[in-house]
C-alpha cells in the first residue's frame, strides 16, 4: 500500500463552495467576502450584531514537543470532524501557517492525512494575505521610525536603543543581523538592525488580541519602538503611524473561513509565535467559532507549558474567555522519546521507556486539571506501531490522575477516527469546572515569574540576571508592572534547558531579558536565546515545490 | 464650492457587484474568483478557451512628466467611460499602484476626480495581494541564494558579484544600502546588499511579460542572480528556485477585474517600474482586455519616450500586440512648465511659455506618428485656468503635424467629459496604420542604443563608459546581445539630464552601466543614478491615513 501524501489527499477532496459552508452555519451572506471559491473573510460586524449564545470552548494542547511529532493540528481538525459525526455542531479555530517553514523544513501546517483543512495549498501559501498585511504594517512603522530620525529626529530617539525590527515572512538567516542606513547622509542613519520572521512581529500579537478596529488602533499606538536619549519610551502613536498601520490591517482583522476535508467550518486566523508571543489564533476567530458552533475547537502552540498556559493566562484573561475542556495530545512514540528511547527505536515496544516518559504527559495533565481547574482528556494520536500494552500503560497512569484517555485515529480515518475522543469531550463539557489563572496580575514581575516557574514548570524557582532585574524595575516604573507575562522559553523542555526531557526536577529558570510588548499587552521574559528568524536547511523544501501549467501545486507536504 | 477629494468621490460611488461587471462582459462565471464583493481575479484559462476576436488596442501615453501633473491614468479611465457613453464596448487595462508612494508623497494611483477605478482604497492598499506575492518570490530567491552560500556554496558564487537584491513594497531609504549576514558563522555570510521597492524587482517584470505558467517558470528560471568566481552567470534555475517562486505567483499571474465609477470593466494587473523595467500592465491583462472589449484602453508609465517606447518596442514585440491608436496626454500647465514658466505662474495665460514648451509635445507626437507609424491624437487634460487662446495654439501646432487635439474634461465630468476624445479615438482606429518598432533586434547593443537615442530622444548619439563597453562585450558573449533594450533614464527630460526641458538638441546620452534582466528578456541600460528604493518625505502621507471603526479609510488622496 502506498501512503498518500497530505497534498494528494487534499487535492482529491471535493470541497463545497465556501458560501455553502457559511450557509450551513446560518450566517447571513452580507458578512461574507469571498476570496476565491473556497475561502472567505467574515466581517467582524457579525460579532456585534449576532444574538447567538456562545458554544463550548475546547482547547487542544500537547505534551512537550519532540522530533517524533505529536499531531496537534491533525487532532484538532479530526476532533471537530468527529463531533460532527456524532451529531454535534463543531467549528475549528486554528492559526495560519507561516511561509517560512513551508519553504524550509516543516512543510505545510494545515493538519495531516484525512484530518486537514482545505484548500491546503492556499492556506500554506499566501492564503488571504493577512501575514503580508502584518508585514507591511510592521515595516511601515520601521520606515516611519527611520525617516523620523533622518528628517531631524524631533523626538530625540536614541539610535542605539531602537527595539523595533523589520520583518519578512521567510526563513532568511542572512537578515538576522545587519547594518543599514549605509551609503552617505541621504541614505538614512547607519545603525545595527535586523529582521524577524513576520509571525514574530508584535503586530501579529496585536492583531490576534484586538477585539475590533478601535482596539486594534489603540494597541498599535501603544507599541514601543525604542527609547529616547532621556530614556523615555517612543511609541507608534508618537510617530503618528497607528492610523495607517490599522488601514493596512483592516481586512486582516477579519477571520478567514475555510473547511475541513469533511466540510466542517474552520476559522483560520493569525499565527503569533508561541515563545515571544502567545501562540494561538485570533480572539476574533475564537469568538466567531463560539458563535457559529456549539463546540469551538481551538489549538495553542508548542506544549501545554507554553501554549496552553498563555492561552489561558493571557488570551482568555484579556478576552474574557472560559474554556470548558482541554485535550492534551500525546503519541506513544513521543512519550518513549521523553523516556530516553533513541529515535530509530521509537517504533518498537518499549514499556520501560514509555513509563520513564509518561511523567511529561502527566505533569501537563496535572497542570491543566489542578492549576487551571479544567476538565481534561488525553488524546493518543495513534501510530501503527503502538502496541496494546503501551496504550494500556498510558491509560492506567492517566486514570490514577482521574483523567481518561481516548485513542485518536483521525490521521488515517478522518472524523470516523475521532468519535471516541469526541464523545469524551462532550462528556467533559457537561462537567462543572473551576477555571482560574495560574497567577494574579497584581504581584510584582518577579512574583509572577516565580509563580509560573514553580506552578507550571515545577522549577525550584526563578533567577533574574542583573540586567533583567534592572529591566524589571524600569518596566515597573513605566507602569507596565501589572501586565501578564509571556514566557519565551525553549519548547523542548519544561525547563529552560532543551536537553532536560520528561518532567525534570531540581532546576531553576534564568530570565536573561525582559521587554514590553505594550501593544499586545504583555511582558516578554526571555530565557536563553530565542530564534526570531529561522534559517533554511541544506536542502530547502522550496527546491521540491512546483506548479504545473494548470496551477496545480506539488511538493507541499 | 468645495472640491471633493478623490477618496470622497470614490466612497460615494455605488459600484456594482463584480459578478455583474463580469456578466456584462459575457464572461463565464467559472473563470471568476471573487476577492470581496468588488474585486475578482480572472483565470488565464479564459485566454486559451475563448474564441472571441481581439478588439482595438489604444495606448495612452503622455508628454515628458512635470511637477504640474498630466493626468494620464485619469484620461485613460475617462476615455474608456467616454467610449461607453458613445455606445462602444471599452475595457481599461492599468497598472496596480505600489504601497510605497501611497504612504509617501503621491497618494493613490487609481485615476482622479470622476474618472477613477474603484474600490480605490483596496486598489491602493493590498488589492488582491499580487505585489506581496512578487515580493515573497523575490525574497525566497534571495534567501535560497544566501542559504546556498552558507551551506557550502557548491556553485562557487562570488559573494562580491551578487546582483540579486531583496525587496519590500515600502519607501524605506534605510534599506538602500546595508551589510547583512553579520553576527558570526551561523548567521550567514557578511556582504554588501540592499533592498529595492517591489515594483523594481525583476520578478515584477517577469510576471508582467509572462503569457502563462510555463512561460512564467521558464522566465523565472532564467533570472541571473550573480556570477561565479569563474565569471559564469548563476540563475534561479541553478538554485532550483523557479518552481517554488512560480507556486507563490500562480494567483498573482491572474488579472484583477474591477470597475470605473461608471461601471466600465477595468483590468488592473502588475506594475513594473518605467525606468529599470518596461512600465506597463501585464501582457495577460492587455490580452484579456482585447478579448473583453471592442476597445482595450491601456497606459504606459512616464512620458512617451520611456513608457510608450518600451510598450511598443518591448511589450508589443514580445507579446505580438499591435496598437491601433495612441493618445498623448498633455496639460496646458505642464507645457508652460516645459516652456520655462515658474510653478506659481502656471495658472496665468502665457502664450509665449506655451509656445516654447510645445516642442516637447510635438516631438512625442512625431515619434509616435513617424517612428512607430501609429495614428495619434493629443488629449488636453483640461484645467479651469486654461484659456481659449492657449487651447487654440495647441490645436494649431498639432494640426501642422496632421494630428488632432481633443479636450478631455473627464476629471470634472467623468465619461461625459471624454466623448470628444472617444469619437476621435474611434475614428483613428479605423485608419490604416503601419506599426513598426523603432529598432531591430539584430544589431549590436551599441547600435540599438544609438538608434533609440537618435530616433526617440533626438540626441546626437550615445556614449558608453568604458565599464559599459566591457559589459556590452561580456553580455554579447553570454548570448544576450539580441535582447531588446530597456532604457533607464530620467523621466523628466528627453535627454539624460533632468534639467533639460522641452525638446532639447545637441546632447549625447551616456550609458554608465548595462545589465541583463534575462527573465524579463531585456538588457537594462542605465544612464545616471536610477533610484530603485524611494524614501519618505518629511511629513509622510501615512501620518494622515486612518481607518474608522467601520473600516472606512480616510486620508488617501
Amino acid at each position: 500500500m502506498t501512503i498518500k501524501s497530505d497534498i494528494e489527499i487534499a487535492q482529491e477532496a471535493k470541497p463545497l463552495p465556501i458560501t455553502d459552508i457559511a450557509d450551513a452555519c446560518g450566517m447571513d451572506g452580507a458578512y461574507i467576502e469571498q476570496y476565491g471559491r473556497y475561502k472567505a473573510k467574515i466581517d467582524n460586524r457579525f460579532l456585534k450584531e449576532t444574538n447567538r449564545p456562545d458554544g463550548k470552548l475546547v482547547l487542544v494542547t500537547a505534551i512537550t514537543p519532540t522530533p517524533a511529532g505529536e499531531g496537534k493540528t491533525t487532532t484538532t481538525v479530526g476532533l471537530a470532524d468527529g463531533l460532527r459525526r456524532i451529531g454535534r455542531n463543531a467549528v475549528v479555530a486554528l492559526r495560519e501557517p507561516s511561509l517560512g517553514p513551508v519553504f524550509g523544513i516543516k512543510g505545510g501546517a494545515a493538519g495531516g492525512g484525512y484530518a486537514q483543512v482545505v484548500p491546503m495549498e492556499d492556506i500554506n501559501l499566501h492564503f488571504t494575505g493577512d501575514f503580508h498585511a502584518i508585514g507591511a504594517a510592521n515595516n511601515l512603522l520601521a520606515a516611519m521610525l527611520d525617516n523620523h530620525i533622518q528628517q531631524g529626529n524631533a523626538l530625540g530617539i536614541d539610535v542605539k536603543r531602537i527595539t523595533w525590527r523589520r520583518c519578512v515572512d521567510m526563513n532568511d538567516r542572512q537578515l538576522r543581523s545587519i547594518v543599514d542606513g549605509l551609503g552617505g547622509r541621504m541614505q538614512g542613519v547607519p545603525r545595527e538592525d535586523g529582521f524577524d520572521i513576520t509571525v514574530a512581529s508584535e503586530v501579529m500579537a496585536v492583531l490576534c488580541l484586538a477585539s475590533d478596529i478601535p482596539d486594534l488602533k489603540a494597541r498599535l499606538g501603544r507599541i514601543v519602538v525604542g527609547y529616547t536619549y532621556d530614556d523615555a519610551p517612543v511609541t507608534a502613536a508618537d510617530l503618528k503611524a497607528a492610523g495607517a498601520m490599522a488601514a493596512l490591517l483592516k481586512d486582516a482583522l477579519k477571520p478567514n473561513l475555510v473547511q475541513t476535508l469533511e466540510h466542517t467550518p474552520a476559522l483560520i486566523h493569525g499565527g503569533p509565535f508561541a515563545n515571544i508571543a502567545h501562540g494561538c489564533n485570533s480572539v476574533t476567530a475564537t469568538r466567531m467559532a463560539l458563535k457559529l458552533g456549539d463546540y469551538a475547537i481551538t489549538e495553542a502552540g508548542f506544549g501545554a507549558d507554553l501554549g496552553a498556559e498563555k492561552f489561558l493566562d493571557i488570551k482568555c484573561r484579556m478576552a474574557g474567555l472560559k474554556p470548558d475542556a482541554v485535550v492534551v495530545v500525546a503519541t506513544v512514540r513521543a512519550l518513549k522519546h521523553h523516556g530516553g528511547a533513541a529515535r530509530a527505536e521509537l517504533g518498537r515496544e518499549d514499556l520501560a521507556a514509555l513509563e520513564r516518559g509518561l511523567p511529561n504527559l502527566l505533569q501537563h495533565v496535572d497542570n491543566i486539571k489542578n492549576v487551571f481547574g479544567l476538565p481534561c482528556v488525553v488524546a493518543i494520536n495513534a501510530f501503527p506501531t503502538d502496541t496494546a500494552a503501551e496504550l494500556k500503560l498510558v491509560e492506567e497512569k492517566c486514570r490514577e490522575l482521574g483523567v481518561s484517555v481516548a485513542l485518536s485515529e483521525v490521521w488515517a480515518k478522518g472524523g470516523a477516527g475521532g468519535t471516541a475522543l469526541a464523545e469524551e469531550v462532550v462528556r467533559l463539557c457537561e462537567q462543572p469546572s473551576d477555571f482560574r489563572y495560574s497567577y494574579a496580575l497584581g504581584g510584582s514581575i518577579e512574583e509572577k515569574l516565580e509563580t509560573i516557574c514553580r506552578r507550571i514548570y515545577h522549577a525550584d524557582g526563578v533567577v533574574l540576571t542583573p540586567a533583567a532585574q534592572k529591566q524589571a524595575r524600569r518596566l515597573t516604573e513605566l507602569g507596565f508592572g501589572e501586565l501578564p507575562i509571556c514566557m519565551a522559553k525553549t519548547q523542548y523542555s519544561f525547563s529552560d534547558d532543551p536537553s532536560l526531557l520528561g518532567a525534570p526536577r531540581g532546576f531553576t529558570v534564568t530570565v536573561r531579558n525582559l521587554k514590553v510588548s505594550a501593544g499586545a499587552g504583555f511582558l516578554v521574559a526571555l530565557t536563553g536565546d530565542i530564534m526570531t528568524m529561522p534559517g533554511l536547511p541544506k536542502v530547502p523544501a522550496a527546491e521540491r515545490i512546483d506548479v504545473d501549467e494548470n496551477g496545480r501545486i506539488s511538493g507541499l507536504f
Side-chain angles (χ1 to χ4, degrees), chain A:
Chain A
M1 183 185 98
T2 47
I3 293 181
K4 286 181 183 162
S5 71
D6 288 352
I7 193 170
E8 285 168 338
I9 293 170
Q11 288 180 344
E12 285 171 8
K14 296 268 175 284
L16 298 175
I18 199 64
T19 44
D20 290 4
I21 300 293
D23 286 350
C25 295
M27 172 163 288
D28 188 318
Y31 297 118
I32 297 289
E33 290 178 89
Q34 279 184 256
Y35 277 62
R37 231 170 289 284
Y38 304 110
K39 298 165 284 179
K41 279 197 168 278
I42 306 183
D43 198 302
N44 285 306
R45 284 185 298 118
F46 170 76
L47 285 175
K48 297 230 151 105
E49 293 168 7
T50 184
N51 53 12
R52 299 191 196 187
D54 280 344
K56 303 286 187 182
L57 179 57
V58 178
L59 173 68
V60 178
T61 181
I63 61 168
T64 300
T66 75
E70 294 70 48
K72 200 166 45 185
T73 305
T74 304
T75 306
T76 306
V77 171
L79 168 57
D81 286 340
L83 283 161
R84 294 239 155 195
R85 297 257 184 161
I86 62 168
R88 304 292 175 149
N89 170 27
V91 172
V92 176
L94 290 173
R95 286 168 295 164
E96 301 179 48
S98 164
L99 271 180
V102 168
F103 295 121
I105 293 181
K106 193 181 172 189
Y114 289 88
Q116 292 188 58
V117 280
V118 286
M120 79 88 93
E121 308 92 317
D122 293 18
I123 294 168
N124 278 310
L125 294 175
H126 311 288
F127 201 21
T128 57
D130 296 341
F131 285 17
H132 291 312
I134 289 163
N138 182 101
N139 292 338
L140 174 63
L141 179 54
M144 290 178 79
L145 168 65
D146 279 304
N147 187 60
H148 177 89
I149 296 167
Q150 172 77 7
Q151 303 282 0
N153 200 7
L155 292 169
I157 300 167
D158 184 348
V159 293
K160 293 187 178 170
R161 296 191 63 201
I162 292 171
T163 51
W164 195 248
R165 287 161 62 91
R166 288 168 173 81
C167 74
V168 63
D169 195 15
M170 199 60 65
N171 284 9
D172 192 350
R173 75 168 66 73
Q174 187 76 5
L175 295 178
R176 283 176 189 156
S177 184
I178 72 172
V179 171
D180 54 21
L182 297 170
R185 59 188 285 273
M186 300 309 290
Q187 321 293 336
V189 176
R191 66 179 183 88
E192 290 184 60
D193 200 358
F195 281 67
D196 293 332
I197 191 164
T198 299
V199 287
S201 166
E202 188 181 343
V203 177
M204 175 66 84
V206 162
L207 183 102
C208 288
L209 291 168
S211 51
D212 52 23
I213 291 178
D215 184 36
L216 175 72
K217 274 164 63 174
R219 286 173 179 273
L220 292 169
R222 290 197 292 269
I223 288 174
V224 173
V225 296
Y227 293 85
T228 66
Y229 291 113
D230 300 331
D231 198 26
V234 179
T235 65
D238 294 334
L239 292 165
K240 303 191 180 76
M245 292 171 75
L248 281 168
L249 295 169
K250 80 174 173 70
D251 292 321
L253 189 64
K254 300 172 186 168
N256 306 295
L257 179 67
V258 290
Q259 63 192 292
T260 71
L261 292 174
E262 300 187 5
H263 313 311
T264 301
L267 293 159
I268 305 202
H269 192 219
F273 257 28
N275 41 40
I276 59 148
H278 62 291
C280 36
N281 65 261
S282 73
V283 165
T284 52
T286 302
R287 284 191 176 143
M288 223 170 256
L290 286 167
K291 294 297 181 193
L292 294 178
D294 297 327
Y295 294 83
I297 317 298
T298 191
E299 182 202 5
F302 293 159
D305 56 326
L306 286 166
E309 186 270 314
K310 293 173 186 184
F311 176 84
L312 298 167
D313 281 327
I314 296 178
K315 178 174 166 178
C316 287
R317 177 151 31 196
M318 278 190 197
L321 297 170
K322 190 197 152 300
D324 294 281
V326 176
V327 177
V328 180
V329 180
T331 64
V332 169
R333 291 162 57 88
L335 289 171
K336 286 188 283 192
H337 174 88
H338 274 292
R343 193 162 180 182
E345 304 290 316
L346 293 177
R348 275 209 242 153
E349 181 173 282
D350 187 345
L351 292 169
L354 180 61
E355 185 148 14
R356 284 194 305 274
L358 266 168
N360 183 274
L361 170 63
L362 300 176
Q363 184 159 303
H364 285 298
V365 166
D366 184 56
N367 286 346
I368 297 296
K369 200 160 184 279
N370 297 315
V371 176
F372 293 108
L374 290 170
C376 177
V377 56
V378 170
I380 297 292
N381 182 19
F383 273 73
T385 52
D386 301 346
T387 70
E390 287 175 327
L391 294 170
K392 185 154 166 281
L393 179 62
V394 177
E395 269 177 57
E396 279 172 10
K397 291 290 179 181
C398 288
R399 199 183 308 132
E400 289 171 16
L401 277 173
V403 166
S404 57
V405 174
L407 195 66
S408 168
E409 301 178 282
V410 301
W411 187 88
K413 299 180 184 171
T419 52
L421 178 60
E423 299 278 9
E424 180 62 14
V425 163
V426 169
R427 192 184 69 77
L428 289 180
C429 284
E430 301 309 321
Q431 291 196 345
S433 70
D434 178 27
F435 175 48
R436 52 202 177 252
Y437 309 119
S438 81
Y439 58 90
L441 295 184
S444 71
I445 294 172
E446 287 86 344
E447 283 165 357
K448 286 183 274 197
L449 287 167
E450 183 86 16
T451 303
I452 295 169
C453 293
R454 287 186 180 271
R455 298 193 74 191
I456 306 296
Y457 308 157
H458 299 254
D460 291 342
V462 69
V463 174
L464 279 73
T465 62
Q469 288 173 29
K470 195 174 152 196
Q471 289 161 334
R473 279 195 301 277
R474 181 63 184 141
L475 290 168
T476 305
E477 281 169 18
L478 290 171
F480 297 126
E482 301 222 343
L483 294 179
I485 307 278
C486 180
M487 293 298 294
K489 180 181 73 69
T490 176
Q491 68 266 39
Y492 296 114
S493 173
F494 268 106
S495 76
D496 56 354
D497 175 355
S499 69
L500 297 182
L501 301 182
R505 287 290 181 279
F507 63 92
T508 55
V509 172
T510 305
V511 171
R512 295 168 196 283
N513 200 355
L514 278 167
K515 65 185 221 62
V516 65
S517 289
F522 50 66
L523 296 167
V524 182
L526 291 117
T527 67
D529 290 332
I530 300 295
M531 174 74 73
T532 51
M533 172 54 92
L536 290 172
K538 177 108 183 164
V539 181
E543 292 187 7
R544 289 187 299 273
I545 293 173
D546 202 355
V547 57
D548 73 11
E549 68 274 20
N550 300 311
R552 196 177 183 87
I553 287 178
S554 56
L556 276 177
F557 61 114

